[in-house]
Amino acid sequence: MLKNLVYTIPKNHHSEECLKELLTSHTEIKFVSLVGIDLSGNDTDEKIPIKIFLDDINGFLKGAVQTDGSSVVFPGIATLNNAKVDMLADTEVNWFIDYNYENIDEKTGKPIGTLRIPCFLIYEGKAIDSRHILKASIDYMKESLLKFFKNYPELLAPYKITVDDIDDIEATSATELEFWVKTPQEKAHTEELSTSQVLQEQYWTRTKGCVRTALEELMVLMDKYGLEPEMGHKEVGGVKATLSKDGNLTHIMEQLEIDWKYADAIQAGDNEIFARILTRETFRRHGLDVNFLAKPIDGVAGSGEHTHLSIALKLKNGKRINLFAPTKEHFLSVFGYASVMGVLKNYEVINPFVSATNDSFRRLKPGFEAPICIVTSIGHSVDIPSRNRTILLGVIRDNEAPLATRFELRAPNPHTNTYLVLATLFMASMDGISYAITNNKTEDNLLAELSKDSGIETDYLEKDRSYRSEEDVFEDYTEEERNKLFGKAPATVYENLTSINNYPEKLKALKAGNIFTDKIISSYATGVERRWITEIIARIIPNYCEEIRSYKMLHSIEKSFDVDVTRWEHVNKLRYYLMKDSYSNKSLFTKIHEAVDIKDYETVSRLQVEMDTKMNELRELYINYKKNLLDI
């Protein structure tokens, strides 16, 4: 069945003639779906019969399809009284066919497929979607670099080329996906998971049973779609499954990771969206739930999605030059150093696009290699590349393969909007590059500035901050030292969003070239704020209430000791503080509700931190209480 299916339609086959020939000869492809990405990273999906597409292919490619913009995340832009959004197909990327292996076409015996066509979302003549913002940022970067190369021809001298030798400038990226799989209804046992993690019982161990089968099937499918998977393996989280009487594994709870090859930055975003779909559907066919949350279980390592990027020159003779790789005995080139500096200096306004959910902040805590400090590591020496996993922005180098030189932002998670993050990274990189070029900075100048100590004033980076560390930032610095040297990390979505208003000078880096407009930034922030509040009120607090109700008194008066009574009193007191109102006192949950009602979001943010802290304290108290009971 898999041999006779069409998995992708490459960009050189997007003409009306090619599409008609392919789709009429593969009648198992019965639907078309135009895929637009809103500001929250949600992808649209619809089922349009293939006959309608074949009757008006050019119309589809030129934006004949429309959607209701009020049903996706564009607050303040597409409103109920003016919500029409046109969907313009992107013909410069690969298109995927999404197959339903549970719905077999009677005539062909093949699974029914839906052609997914990535598109731009156009509102009142202007593109407003995440894919277009990334495309615009790349176009801005290319135009800016070409202008610099023309005005400063000495920049290309180390490569022994001129601007006329350049065919294109390529922005490439790759992501890696971590996720949890489990049998349905399986509940997390935090102590067992935490113990297994500390003992490293799961990391890189052999996959078994249905997990192995699903992982292998997924990697085969990814290869057929041209995603070129490079590795699939167990991550640090998980516990050993149980073998049932019929020889099948049950009580599965494991964390996995899948890596695949880099691509053009926009294509990389599309690949990631489709890789998530493939992952979820493949494991579901094997009876397993897939969870893409950043921190599904408190006290256990979360799931990241490290985002890699690089910039290269494509020459007319076919050769490629990595602009980040050094041309002399150095860690990086001028472009590489400057890009790192641009990202680090402006990260306060990048971070709102990286960590935009309550879930993401559960992962970004000190420990578990959480990348919360605005700092990089480039290596102790040029000969030995860094693999410091405690920093925010890693520099990946291979002295034997200059084309592999790239940056790795370690903060994103599986629900991060990769398109917007990459757009902010390329814009911030150009801010650093512009500084370096217009101020005639050399590699030595930039390395010295990047490596400066706190208190030293420089032309670009902030005086009272430090930006490079080759040490373990969690083991070798106190919390006070980290906050002073690298800046205090935001604790909530609200605190993160305030950076947009608190750092207007840094925001200029994103707004250059009119890429991140005031309207786009405002719409994005409004959407994030709404989701933050809605999750707290409609999900987090109700879930906490259910959890608190499950913490019941388990000891009997006759068999209990004083310590049991005392421990339960501590548990119960905290239960009441969190959830129970009286005429004289309001619970913490009620205080949060009231702050939301009057839109006092600063208070909501402060109380949310207290709420999460108290819930963790309650869990620990209840565990200690149960440990001393014989009869439960």
Side-chain angles (χ1 to χ4, degrees):
M1 183 189 295
L2 298 181
K3 291 182 179 178
N4 300 316
L5 297 177
V6 176
Y7 292 94
T8 62
I9 302 180
K11 61 183 179 181
N12 57 339
H13 289 170
H14 291 170
S15 67
E16 181 175 8
E17 182 181 354
C18 287
L19 289 171
K20 221 165 226 185
E21 180 181 350
L22 186 147
L23 294 172
T24 52
S25 61
H26 286 273
T27 56
E28 70 275 8
I29 304 175
K30 295 192 177 298
F31 302 101
V32 171
S33 175
L34 273 80
V35 184
I37 313 295
D38 68 17
L39 295 181
S40 282
N42 304 313
D43 56 314
T44 61
D45 185 39
E46 63 282 319
K47 298 292 180 185
I48 301 173
I50 199 71
K51 181 180 182 303
I52 295 176
F53 178 75
L54 290 172
D55 286 345
D56 187 18
I57 291 177
N58 277 330
F60 270 78
L61 300 185
K62 294 177 181 178
V65 178
Q66 299 172 354
T67 188
D68 178 6
S70 64
S71 61
V72 287
V73 182
F74 294 110
I77 298 178
T79 55
L80 283 173
N81 64 330
N82 187 13
K84 182 176 74 70
V85 173
D86 297 316
M87 307 178 81
L88 179 64
D90 185 354
T91 59
E92 296 301 312
V93 294
N94 294 334
W95 298 350
F96 299 123
I97 292 88
D98 178 20
Y99 288 102
N100 183 354
Y101 295 96
E102 297 168 331
N103 189 10
I104 306 302
D105 181 31
E106 293 180 357
K107 291 184 179 179
T108 64
K110 298 177 182 179
I112 288 177
T114 297
L115 171 59
R116 287 172 57 90
I117 302 179
C119 69
F120 302 114
L121 301 178
I122 312 297
Y123 179 75
E124 294 185 340
K126 295 182 180 180
I128 57 173
D129 61 283
S130 296
R131 295 183 78 260
H132 182 268
I133 292 171
L134 174 56
K135 181 180 185 301
S137 72
I138 294 171
D139 290 343
Y140 171 78
M141 179 195 70
K142 290 181 179 182
E143 293 169 7
S144 299
L145 285 174
L146 285 174
K147 188 178 294 184
F148 280 134
F149 293 148
K150 290 176 182 177
N151 295 335
Y152 301 87
E154 65 272 15
L155 292 170
L156 297 174
Y159 307 110
K160 299 179 180 179
I161 61 171
T162 67
V163 68
D164 294 330
D165 296 316
I166 299 173
D167 181 51
D168 195 10
I169 298 175
E170 298 179 327
T172 60
S173 178
T175 56
E176 48 197 51
L177 195 59
E178 295 177 4
F179 55 95
W180 283 79
V181 297
K182 69 182 186 69
T183 44
Q185 308 306 317
E186 181 67 17
K187 293 186 178 180
H189 301 283
T190 305
E191 283 185 284
E192 187 179 355
L193 287 164
S194 182
T195 301
S196 177
Q197 175 177 296
V198 172
L199 295 176
Q200 296 184 314
E201 293 176 331
Q202 291 290 311
Y203 197 37
W204 291 81
T205 60
R206 183 174 177 268
T207 53
K208 303 179 184 69
C210 56
V211 175
R212 173 180 175 175
T213 303
L215 180 61
E216 291 174 350
E217 183 178 319
L218 172 61
M219 296 186 72
V220 169
L221 278 172
M222 289 177 70
D223 192 55
K224 289 184 178 294
Y225 280 104
L227 302 185
E228 298 185 64
E230 296 179 333
M231 187 182 300
H233 64 85
K234 281 194 180 186
E235 256 293 338
V236 67
V239 290
K240 186 177 181 181
T242 302
L243 193 65
S244 66
K245 292 180 180 179
D246 59 5
N248 294 320
L249 292 177
T250 62
H251 302 292
I252 294 168
M253 185 169 287
E254 299 179 10
Q255 189 184 32
L256 304 178
E257 177 179 326
I258 294 218
D259 307 330
W260 57 92
K261 195 174 181 182
Y262 67 88
D264 163 86
I266 300 174
Q267 185 67 64
D270 293 348
N271 290 351
E272 179 200 307
I273 292 279
F274 197 67
R276 286 209 300 257
I277 293 172
L278 279 181
T279 300
R280 195 184 294 279
E281 289 299 309
T282 302
F283 279 86
R284 188 185 60 78
R285 286 197 297 274
H286 292 274
L288 295 167
D289 285 339
V290 170
N291 187 314
F292 290 121
L293 291 174
K295 192 75 169 178
I297 308 163
D298 285 320
V300 181
S303 295
E305 189 184 65
H306 305 156
T307 300
H308 301 246
L309 74 153
S310 61
I311 304 172
L313 301 180
K314 179 185 175 184
L315 305 185
K316 292 176 181 177
N317 62 10
K319 292 184 179 180
R320 280 176 170 76
I321 296 171
N322 188 324
L323 279 183
F324 291 168
T327 57
K328 57 178 72 172
E329 191 72 9
H330 247 282
F331 292 97
L332 294 165
S333 67
V334 165
F335 302 98
Y337 285 124
S339 294
V340 169
M341 290 165 59
V343 171
L344 294 177
K345 178 184 177 180
N346 297 299
Y347 192 72
E348 282 87 355
V349 295
I350 296 172
N351 198 9
F353 296 91
V354 176
S355 303
T357 62
N358 290 297
D359 178 53
S360 64
F361 280 92
R362 292 193 190 98
R363 171 175 168 257
L364 298 179
K365 308 283 187 185
F368 297 124
E369 301 171 348
I372 63 171
C373 299
I374 303 176
V375 62
T376 190
S377 167
I378 59 177
H380 288 285
S381 70
V382 172
D383 298 328
I384 305 175
S386 168
R387 286 304 294 153
N388 188 339
R389 298 173 62 83
T390 68
I391 43 81
L392 173 73
L393 188 67
V395 175
I396 312 298
R397 296 187 298 120
D398 183 343
N399 293 332
E400 302 301 319
L403 282 175
T405 302
R406 62 194 185 278
F407 304 148
E408 175 192 50
L409 186 68
R410 298 180 55 77
N413 66 81
H415 278 303
T416 294
N417 185 337
T418 294
Y419 300 98
L420 292 187
V421 168
L422 287 174
T424 63
L425 293 177
F426 285 122
M427 294 301 293
S429 293
M430 274 311 306
D431 187 65
I433 290 172
S434 297
Y435 156 73
I437 292 176
T438 56
N439 289 277
N440 197 29
K441 298 292 182 177
T442 66
E443 290 93 339
D444 289 338
N445 299 148
L446 296 173
L447 175 58
E449 185 166 356
L450 180 62
S451 307
K452 80 176 191 69
D453 291 328
S454 174
I456 296 178
E457 190 166 357
T458 59
D459 295 331
Y460 185 68
L461 297 178
E462 295 176 40
K463 175 182 176 181
D464 295 324
R465 296 277 285 274
S466 182
Y467 293 89
R468 175 189 175 190
S469 175
E470 304 304 330
E471 311 302 325
D472 185 319
V473 297
F474 298 117
E475 295 292 333
D476 298 324
Y477 300 90
T478 65
E479 181 179 1
E480 183 180 357
E481 289 171 334
R482 287 197 301 269
N483 291 341
K484 180 181 177 182
L485 294 174
F486 313 126
K488 186 177 181 180
T492 67
V493 172
Y494 175 81
E495 285 186 16
N496 204 16
L497 283 178
T498 59
S499 294
I500 291 175
N501 294 322
N502 292 343
Y503 296 94
E505 290 302 312
K506 298 186 180 190
L507 198 61
K508 287 181 180 179
L510 304 188
K511 295 168 73 172
N514 207 32
I515 307 302
F516 283 87
T517 63
D518 288 333
K519 184 171 282 191
I520 288 291
I521 293 171
S522 176
S523 179
Y524 173 81
T526 300
V528 170
E529 187 176 77
R530 285 179 184 175
R531 183 171 58 190
W532 168 61
I533 289 295
T534 302
E535 285 180 345
I536 290 175
I537 297 302
R539 286 184 180 169
I540 295 175
I541 289 180
N543 288 342
Y544 280 171
C545 287
E546 184 178 349
E547 183 180 350
I548 289 169
R549 292 188 183 104
S550 72
Y551 295 156
K552 301 180 183 300
M553 187 177 78
L554 301 173
H555 65 276
S556 64
I557 301 300
E558 297 80 13
K559 297 180 181 180
S560 64
F561 290 174
D562 290 345
V563 66
D564 301 321
V565 175
T566 301
R567 286 180 177 178
W568 170 249
E569 286 177 351
H570 289 158
V571 170
N572 207 32
K573 182 179 179 181
L574 194 48
R575 290 170 75 234
Y576 273 65
Y577 177 79
L578 284 161
M579 183 177 166
K580 187 74 171 173
D581 289 336
S582 68
Y583 283 117
S584 58
N585 291 302
K586 295 177 180 178
S587 70
L588 184 58
F589 292 168
T590 296
K591 291 177 182 177
I592 292 174
H593 275 278
E594 291 180 345
V596 168
D597 289 341
I598 62 173
K599 297 185 178 180
D600 181 2
Y601 295 151
E602 184 176 355
T603 296
V604 174
S605 175
R606 176 176 54 79
L607 293 178
Q608 181 186 12
V609 173
E610 182 186 0
M611 175 179 67
D612 290 340
T613 301
K614 294 294 186 185
M615 283 301 299
N616 286 331
E617 182 183 344
L618 178 62
R619 294 181 187 110
E620 293 177 8
L621 287 173
Y622 196 67
I623 288 170
N624 287 333
Y625 163 66
K626 286 177 64 176
K627 282 179 178 178
N628 200 51
L629 301 179
L630 293 174
D631 302 316
I632 301 178

